[in-house]
Amino acid sequence: MVGARIDDCSLWQSVRLEADAVRRVGGDSECPGWEEALAAARWEKAPGGPWPERPLELWNRAVAYEGVWEAAAGVALARLVAVAAGVRMVWEGPLSVLFSAAWEALFPVGASRLRVALAGPGVGEPDADVLVVPVHPRSGAVWRPSGSVPVVPLAAGAWAHLALPGGPELAVVSGRVPEEVLRGEVSVEMLSCRRSRPDREVFLDVLARLPQVREPGVRAVYDRVRGEWGLF
């Protein structure tokens, strides 16, 4: 036994190796820099367009592609809740499409407001209360601003699609699909017309592992989402 693989239709695929059972042989010795890595990891298309009338195999691939966006949004939403549960958010740019509907479902009222914006390589550090930053696709490191503003990590492909020039027209998608699928059978016209929403199971799984879940306000959110299907 050298590790384990999660490969289920309802879970984010993952491979985890036992550190003492494996060793690296060959391959690239240096990790690419932020800008190079983000450009390579970027997801090219966002969900949108009519329901496809295509063979079932291609339809399943389209749904899977939308699912990676929903998984990434679920991870980031859980960390946003841990940072500012119960606070109204002001979303900058395309972040509104990704998070606003879910946040309003969780927190329909709130006195104070926090501004949330994208930050990272090539974008800088905008004046905001919470920054959504990329995770390096190779090293797993989270990009850090120079100040002490709270950060929320977002999968590299999703962040790059939202933040880099030539990005989305205020529409969005998380994990990475093979290039031949993105550039071949699955086109934007084949994807669901539904807005990508955070994956409920991924959201609960991540939030349950954050230390803030012990706080009453965050725990109340966890219990509510767990008890209500289709909340966001």
Side-chain angles (χ1 to χ4, degrees), residues 46-52 188-194:
W51 291 91
V188 67
E189 291 78 15
M190 295 171 56
L191 298 175
S192 164
C193 60
R194 295 183 298 129

Side-chain angles (χ1 to χ4, degrees), residues 10-229:
S10 63
L11 299 174
W12 209 349
Q13 294 187 2
S14 175
V15 176
R16 302 181 183 184
L17 301 175
E18 293 288 346
D20 295 336
V22 298
R23 64 185 177 90
R24 181 172 179 168
V25 177
D28 297 334
S29 58
E30 295 184 2
C31 189
W34 276 103
E35 293 187 6
E36 178 185 353
L38 289 172
R42 177 177 181 167
W43 300 331
E44 295 296 334
K45 297 293 185 180
W51 291 91
E53 296 181 3
R54 303 295 178 89
L56 181 61
E57 179 185 0
L58 301 187
W59 166 243
N60 287 340
R61 292 184 183 180
V63 172
Y65 175 68
E66 184 175 356
V68 296
W69 271 103
E70 294 177 345
V75 173
L77 181 64
R79 296 188 178 276
L80 281 164
V81 169
V83 168
V87 177
R88 297 286 285 177
M89 294 290 196
V90 178
W91 308 96
E92 299 289 329
L95 288 176
S96 175
V97 178
L98 193 57
F99 295 116
S100 61
W103 197 267
E104 290 172 7
L106 293 175
F107 309 109
V109 296
S112 58
R113 291 177 177 268
L114 295 177
R115 290 181 60 236
V116 187
L118 289 162
V123 176
E125 303 175 28
D127 181 16
D129 302 297
V130 180
L131 299 177
V132 176
V133 301
V135 178
H136 197 287
R138 288 282 297 276
S139 69
V142 176
W143 187 86
R144 297 290 178 182
S146 58
S148 58
V149 179
V151 298
V152 170
L154 181 63
W159 185 93
H161 182 85
L162 297 175
L164 297 183
E169 298 178 355
L170 291 186
V172 283
V173 255
S174 163
R176 187 167 186 199
V177 178
E179 292 295 330
E180 65 269 21
V181 175
L182 286 178
R183 303 182 185 281
E185 296 99 335
V186 178
S187 65
V188 67
E189 291 78 15
M190 295 171 56
L191 298 175
S192 164
C193 60
R194 295 183 298 129
R195 171 187 291 183
S196 283
R197 59 185 180 184
D199 184 278
R200 175 180 178 272
E201 298 303 321
V202 171
F203 170 83
L204 290 172
D205 186 61
V206 172
L207 191 57
R209 286 163 172 76
L210 295 177
Q212 292 90 336
V213 78
R214 299 182 180 90
E215 300 173 3
V218 177
R219 180 61 192 225
V221 173
Y222 176 85
D223 291 339
R224 184 183 175 200
V225 175
R226 188 179 182 184
E228 297 183 37
W229 285 91

